[in-house]
Structures are given as structure tokens and as C-alpha cells.
């Protein structure tokens, strides 16, 4: 069994969505392959995790792209953001809904720190309207609970609502003509030599397996 070059403790940073969905899938597989490794998981915003990377508090982070000298990013996962509603929400299924119709709907805003939500604001600004954000939350299940009241719509990462969309409980509101939020999760690090090449390769293989499973299920 190949060990890490400097330590058997691997400290990983991730935003909450990636930790809950991808890392919950990946960590057991990594532990199987590298039983001597001990994993510590730290969650936080991109800015917080970048700071921890720079101060060597974590080895690697799963976050959105960051441009910083000495920090390296490798594309790992696609994670589109969907505008979703409950299947019994009164918003009609427009073929090409306009921003002004969306602006009339109650919106619960999920502030997960994983995405650049400025794109959403700009979508409304371009059309000269403002989003009707009635609730802001950093908790995924709270956002889903508001959707289940059948009074709210929300922009949520696809990873978070895959099961609800497949069951038909939630319905995607098609806004591709207004906004395409196909954002990405990057494998971000400062010193790649801190861990073995075998472990880095395993991370990438696991991500590919994860996306394959998501497509099949």
C-alpha cells in the first residue's frame, strides 16, 4: 500500500453541497483503497477554504475556480444550477418564461457559497426587474422545505435535487434562454507533492465514476 509522502492525515476542504453529495460517495471508496489514511473534512465558503489552503491547514479543496498565484485548479465535476418548483406550484409551464414573470414569484435563495450567484441577479437586472427574494438561507433542507410549501421557487445545484426531480416532486423551470448556470467544481491545491500521485489519480477516477452513476440512476 502506497502511503502519502508527508503524512497519513489528509485534510480536505469542500463547500457544503460537495461534501454532502460527492464526498459522502467518495470518502468510503478512498478509505477502502487507502486504509492507512485518516481523513478530516472541513466545510466552508470558497474564500475560507482558499485561506486554509494558503496557510497549509488543508491539503486540497473542492470549490469553484479561484485565480490566485500559487494555487492550482483542475476541473473535477460539472454541477448545473436548476430553477425548481414544487409540482403543485401554480407557476404555469411556460415554453419560454420571461424574467418579469419570474420576478413575480416568491424566491427562496440558497446561499451555499459554491456558486457565483451574481449571474442570477444579472439575469433580472438585464430585464429591468428585481428578483422577489423573500427568504435567504444557507441550509439546503430549509430551501427544500420552502419549495414544499408550494409557494416558492429556488435556484439549487443539480446534485441537491436529483432525487426530487426524478420522483416528480420538484419540476425544473426551463430558463436556458435566460441563463445557463453550468458551473463547475474544481480540485484545488497548493502543493501537489504533499500527497501521493496514486491518491490524486484516485480522486479523479472517483469523480468520473460518480458522474457516471448520477447519469445512470
Amino acid at each position: 500500500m502506497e502511503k502519502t509522502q508527508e503524512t497519513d492525515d489528509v485534510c480536505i476542504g469542500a463547500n457544503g453541497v460537495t461534501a454532502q453529495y460527492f464526498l459522502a460517495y467518495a470518502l468510503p471508496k478512498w478509505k477502502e483503497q487507502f486504509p492507512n489514511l485518516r481523513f478530516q473534512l472541513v466545510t466552508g465558503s470558497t474564500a475560507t477554504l482558499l485561506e486554509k489552503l494558503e496557510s497549509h491547514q488543508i491539503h486540497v479543496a473542492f470549490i469553484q475556480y479561484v485565480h490566485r498565484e500559487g494555487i492550482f485548479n483542475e476541473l473535477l465535476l460539472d454541477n448545473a444550477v436548476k430553477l425548481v418548483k414544487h409540482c403543485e406550484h401554480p407557476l404555469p409551464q411556460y415554453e419560454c418564461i420571461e424574467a418579469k414573470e419570474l420576478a413575480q414569484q416568491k424566491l427562496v435563495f440558497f446561499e451555499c457559497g459554491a456558486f457565483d450567484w451574481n449571474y442570477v441577479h444579472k439575469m433580472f437586472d438585464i430585464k429591468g426587474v428585481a428578483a422577489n427574494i423573500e427568504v435567504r438561507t444557507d441550509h439546503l433542507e430549509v430551501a427544500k422545505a420552502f419549495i414544499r410549501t408550494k409557494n416558492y421557487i429556488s435556484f439549487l445545484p443539480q446534485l441537491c435535487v436529483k432525487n426530487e426531480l426524478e420522483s416528480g416532486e420538484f419540476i425544473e423551470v426551463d430558463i436556458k434562454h435566460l441563463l445557463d448556470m453550468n458551473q463547475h467544481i474544481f480540485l484545488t491545491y497548493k502543493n501537489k507533492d504533499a500527497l501521493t500521485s496514486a491518491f490524486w489519480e484516485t480522486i479523479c477516477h472517483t469523480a468520473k465514476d460518480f458522474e457516471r452513476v448520477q447519469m445512470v440512476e
Side-chain angles (χ1 to χ4, degrees):
M1 177 61 60
E2 185 179 8
K3 296 183 179 181
T4 55
Q5 293 171 9
E6 293 184 0
T7 179
D8 285 334
D9 293 305
V10 181
C11 193
I12 298 170
N15 61 67
V17 169
T18 306
Q20 184 175 349
Y21 291 90
F22 172 62
L23 290 181
Y25 169 88
L27 278 175
K29 297 182 181 302
W30 297 344
K31 186 65 179 176
E32 235 177 76
Q33 192 162 346
F34 298 90
N36 293 328
L37 294 184
R38 296 183 297 270
F39 295 101
Q40 179 184 354
L41 178 57
V42 177
T43 60
S45 67
T46 294
T48 298
L49 295 175
L50 177 58
E51 183 180 324
K52 290 183 181 297
L53 266 179
E54 292 186 312
S55 59
H56 303 281
Q57 295 179 58
I58 59 177
H59 293 98
V60 62
F62 298 91
I63 51 179
Q64 68 189 60
Y65 180 86
V66 291
H67 181 69
R68 185 72 62 88
E69 186 177 352
I71 297 294
F72 303 93
N73 304 268
E74 294 182 17
L75 179 61
L76 192 73
L77 294 167
D78 290 329
N79 188 19
V81 176
K82 304 290 187 182
L83 177 60
V84 296
K85 67 170 189 171
H86 191 272
C87 60
E88 296 181 21
H89 187 284
L91 179 67
Q93 284 293 92
Y94 293 96
E95 275 194 23
C96 290
I97 191 168
E98 295 297 330
K100 63 181 180 181
E101 275 81 35
L102 291 178
Q104 296 170 10
Q105 305 300 318
K106 296 178 181 179
L107 189 67
V108 54
F109 211 67
F110 175 48
E111 299 176 314
C112 65
F115 303 101
D116 186 355
W117 295 113
N118 287 326
Y119 288 111
V120 174
H121 292 296
K122 287 177 183 176
M123 179 188 78
F124 289 101
D125 289 343
I126 288 172
K127 301 298 181 179
V129 293
N132 181 21
I133 302 173
E134 288 206 351
V135 180
R136 293 179 183 269
T137 179
D138 61 357
H139 197 293
L140 172 61
E141 293 306 319
V142 171
K144 288 185 180 182
F146 273 94
I147 295 173
R148 290 188 173 105
T149 67
K150 308 171 188 177
N151 295 313
Y152 292 84
I153 60 176
S154 183
F155 290 92
L156 294 177
Q158 183 175 335
L159 287 178
C160 301
V161 290
K162 179 178 180 293
N163 292 337
E164 289 86 355
L165 289 171
E166 287 181 350
S167 70
E169 181 187 12
F170 291 176
I171 296 174
E172 179 183 358
V173 181
D174 187 358
I175 58 164
K176 293 185 184 69
H177 56 292
L178 296 173
L179 177 69
D180 184 10
M181 287 187 70
N182 187 24
Q183 301 200 43
H184 307 286
I185 297 166
F186 286 83
L187 174 61
T188 307
Y189 55 90
K190 185 171 185 178
N191 180 16
K192 201 167 189 176
D193 292 334
L195 302 171
T196 64
S197 58
F199 182 64
W200 290 108
E201 290 171 7
T202 297
I203 292 176
C204 297
H205 288 316
T206 307
K208 290 177 182 176
D209 290 342
F210 175 75
E211 289 194 322
R212 203 157 31 237
V213 168
Q214 295 295 305
M215 291 175 65
V216 171
E217 289 182 354

